[in-house]
Amino acid sequence: MKITDHIKNAKGKTLFSFELLPPMKGQSIQWIYDAIDPLMEFKPPFIDVTSLREDYIYKQKDNGLLEKVSYRKRPGTIAICAAIINKYGVDAVPHLICGGFTKEETENALIDLQFLGIDNVLVLRGDARKADSGFVPTPGGHHYATDLLQHVKNHNAGKFLHEDIEISAKSDFCIGVAGYPEKHFEAPNLKTDFKYLKMKVDMGAEFIVTQMFFDNQKYFDFVKKCRENDINVPIIPGLKPISAIGQLVALPKIFHIDLPEDLSEAIQDCKNPKDVKQVGTEFMIQQCKELMDFGVPVLHFYTMGKPEQTYNIAKAIF
Ligand code: FAD
């Protein structure tokens, strides 16, 4: 079922959902099931699975020279989505990214998704490779989420990249996109970033999932600005509880977000790692309660494959 229909059917009740990343290459699918099993208690209507582009490593050859090789650390997004649907009977939402895929590979992935009965996709540009200083599109691939979105729209309309063939069953993917209450780090200002968000919605995106944030006011302002600009699709807040003291530095650095002073001070005052988790959990419970009072359609948790803290938060609010 489409995410927009899940939200409609909930009739104003806040839903619970979460995001997982594929296991490291070589690990078992059990890693995914162990991350999902405890959270099924909260009846998620859908589960997101991220997608990671390739990166580079340098391997030493017999002659001592270094060889640059491309590798994908966490493959398997589509297969994991199929496994989730099969095992749990809930919708799985694959993240489709521009980086690392040619347009032909994207087209083939869309065909796989259609055959698997997957109804939703989250389309994203994708992160830059660690080895690059900024995002470098794959030759023959898409550059911006808007390009990928147009590709999915074309696919839904029965237009393939190269062939003009008769279509007996068009796809009808419900397309989601990313939104940044605190601005995407490359955008020169919020206004420009907003212009592209609006472009994504005007092109046919049906829901927005936000980057994580810790100050609800930023989300409220973002929603207000969206509504004033005629962006009327559901805006699903993405949430990540703090679980380790190192995240006080890591989260702002990686995700370009601010942490509220009271939260960062409370974490700095913690005597041991267990206390940090407890502070992060309690903060997130309050944050979620406020978001539910505001009427958010879904609380969407970035679990990183570790369900325990999300479980404790969901247990306190659902
Ligand atoms: P875009 O919408 O393409 O925007 C990128 C930048 O370009 C922005 O600064 C924007 O203002 C600007 N821009 C947008 N469109 C245009 C245009 N047409 N012309 C010129 N400039 C433009 N990364 C992964 O690698 N894998 C994942 O699975 C993943 N999941 C994510 C899930 C969520 C909910 C979020 C919020 C992020 C996720 N990311 C993921 C990270 C995301 O890929 C990065 O934040 C990336 O840098 C931007 O992606 P985007 O889709 O927002 O890009």
Side-chain angles (χ1 to χ4, degrees):
M1 195 194 289
K2 292 185 176 193
I3 286 181
T4 44
D5 290 331
H6 281 299
I7 292 172
K8 259 183 234 148
N9 293 348
K11 297 194 170 79
K13 186 173 168 272
T14 302
L15 300 169
F16 164 81
S17 73
F18 58 96
E19 177 190 287
L20 295 164
L21 69 173
M24 299 279 274
K25 194 184 273 180
Q27 272 187 294
S28 144
I29 186 82
Q30 191 58 42
W31 186 81
I32 288 286
Y33 299 153
D34 290 346
I36 297 177
D37 284 344
L39 300 176
M40 289 310 291
E41 181 179 331
F42 309 109
K43 300 189 170 40
F46 62 92
I47 297 170
D48 275 44
V49 184
T50 63
S51 186
L52 261 91
R53 81 176 294 180
E54 84 291 1
D55 221 315
Y56 292 126
I57 44 170
Y58 289 91
K59 278 180 81 176
Q60 192 156 27
K61 297 204 293 189
D62 291 346
N63 62 7
L65 292 174
L66 291 177
E67 184 187 16
K68 190 177 175 188
V69 291
S70 169
Y71 80 114
R72 202 180 286 269
K73 202 162 65 173
R74 293 178 185 272
T77 301
I78 293 181
I80 292 168
C81 286
I84 289 174
I85 295 169
N86 186 36
K87 186 165 162 71
Y88 299 98
V90 300
D91 281 302
V93 184
H95 291 192
L96 285 186
I97 55 173
C98 303
F101 298 91
T102 62
K103 290 174 192 166
E104 285 74 17
E105 285 165 338
T106 296
E107 179 169 279
N108 291 335
L110 289 170
I111 292 168
D112 284 346
L113 296 176
Q114 191 185 351
F115 287 159
L116 286 168
I118 286 173
D119 294 324
N120 305 279
V121 289
L122 190 71
V123 306
L124 304 140
R125 187 190 69 181
D127 288 323
R129 284 178 295 233
K130 287 202 176 64
D132 296 331
S133 58
F135 180 80
V136 180
T138 293
H142 294 296
H143 191 153
Y144 292 108
T146 42
D147 307 326
L148 181 53
L149 198 154
Q150 188 57 53
H151 186 150
V152 182
K153 290 295 293 178
N154 290 347
H155 197 88
N156 279 350
K159 289 184 206 147
F160 287 90
L161 285 172
H162 308 302
E163 307 96 322
D164 199 5
I165 45 177
E166 203 174 309
I167 312 286
S168 63
K170 283 184 191 167
S171 62
D172 186 20
F173 293 111
C174 175
I175 307 169
V177 291
Y180 301 82
E182 298 180 57
K183 186 179 91 61
H184 183 260
F185 69 104
E186 288 166 29
N189 48 57
L190 254 176
K191 196 174 169 197
T192 311
D193 202 23
F194 222 78
K195 180 178 86 181
Y196 291 119
L197 178 65
K198 178 145 174 62
M199 191 190 282
K200 292 194 271 192
V201 174
D202 289 347
M203 286 173 68
E206 292 177 74
F207 64 97
I208 296 168
V209 184
T210 76
Q211 181 57 281
M212 68 179 73
F213 58 89
F214 291 85
D215 177 353
N216 282 346
Q217 194 54 49
K218 295 197 168 140
Y219 171 83
F220 300 149
D221 293 345
F222 180 72
V223 172
K224 186 165 177 271
K225 198 154 184 242
C226 284
R227 302 313 181 219
E228 285 168 0
N229 285 279
D230 212 22
I231 296 177
N232 294 311
V233 299
I235 303 175
I236 298 174
L239 301 161
K240 157 96 184 77
I242 298 254
S243 58
I245 193 154
Q247 290 173 348
L248 287 188
V249 176
L251 297 182
K253 189 173 164 198
I254 299 170
F255 298 104
H256 307 270
I257 48 148
D258 268 354
L259 295 176
E261 281 173 28
D262 54 345
L263 174 63
S264 60
E265 278 164 17
I267 285 174
Q268 271 159 344
D269 288 345
C270 288
K271 301 275 179 285
N272 62 57
K274 226 173 127 194
D275 294 346
V276 173
K277 243 185 197 167
Q278 189 55 28
V279 169
T281 301
E282 280 165 16
F283 184 90
M284 185 55 70
I285 290 170
Q286 291 315 315
Q287 195 181 347
C288 288
K289 284 183 174 166
E290 202 184 16
L291 289 167
M292 286 170 96
D293 288 344
F294 182 77
V296 296
V298 183
L299 292 171
H300 184 71
F301 290 88
Y302 299 124
T303 66
M304 313 294 285
K306 293 182 184 154
E308 185 199 319
Q309 209 178 3
T310 301
Y311 179 89
N312 292 335
I313 293 160
K315 191 80 186 160
I317 53 177
F318 283 101

